[in-house]
Amino acid sequence: MARETGVPVERLRTVEARYAQPRPATEWRWRNETPVDELPEGRDLVIESPVPFTLHCGWDGWQDTRDLRSLPGAFGLWLVHFHAAELRAHATLEFTRLFEGGWEGVDHEVKLQHHTLAALTTSG
């Protein structure tokens, strides 16, 4: 049967149905090795590091700055998590990190995509 159909006999229909359509990731992870320059609408953003850090961040050109302490996550990583609903109100997130040894010395920016924001800026 498998030879004729090209489908393994062991393939379960319920598993095939579940994974038949690709699902976009609900959160994107920013790391030094894989920075996120632009975040699609509706995604959470997680800033990760292998060591603890304090995230100094602001919105839309360093407005409303605040400091957020990273929390321990899986696999020994330290995380600061931004939910999509929080990101929706802004066009950019700027941040830098303070580690035990001092500031990293680099400012990062993530552009936040919004369909409604793009429509407003092009029509005005």
Side-chain angles (χ1 to χ4, degrees), residues 20-39:
Q21 297 297 319
R23 297 182 200 187
T26 59
E27 65 182 29
W28 284 29
R29 296 177 172 265
W30 189 103
R31 300 180 188 133
N32 282 346
E33 304 80 17
T34 55
V36 174
D37 295 325
E38 203 164 329
L39 184 71

Side-chain angles (χ1 to χ4, degrees), residues 8-79:
V9 175
E10 300 87 7
R11 184 182 291 174
L12 301 174
R13 287 191 180 132
T14 55
V15 174
E16 182 178 12
R18 178 178 179 156
Y19 296 106
Q21 297 297 319
R23 297 182 200 187
T26 59
E27 65 182 29
W28 284 29
R29 296 177 172 265
W30 189 103
R31 300 180 188 133
N32 282 346
E33 304 80 17
T34 55
V36 174
D37 295 325
E38 203 164 329
L39 184 71
E41 181 177 23
R43 306 298 195 281
D44 290 1
L45 178 65
V46 180
I47 311 295
E48 295 183 348
S49 175
V51 296
F53 64 97
T54 298
L55 189 78
H56 179 68
C57 62
W59 306 102
D60 307 321
W62 288 103
Q63 302 298 306
D64 302 318
T65 59
R66 58 185 168 154
D67 293 327
L68 304 170
R69 293 185 127 184
S70 61
L71 299 173
F75 308 111
L77 293 172
W78 292 82
L79 317 171

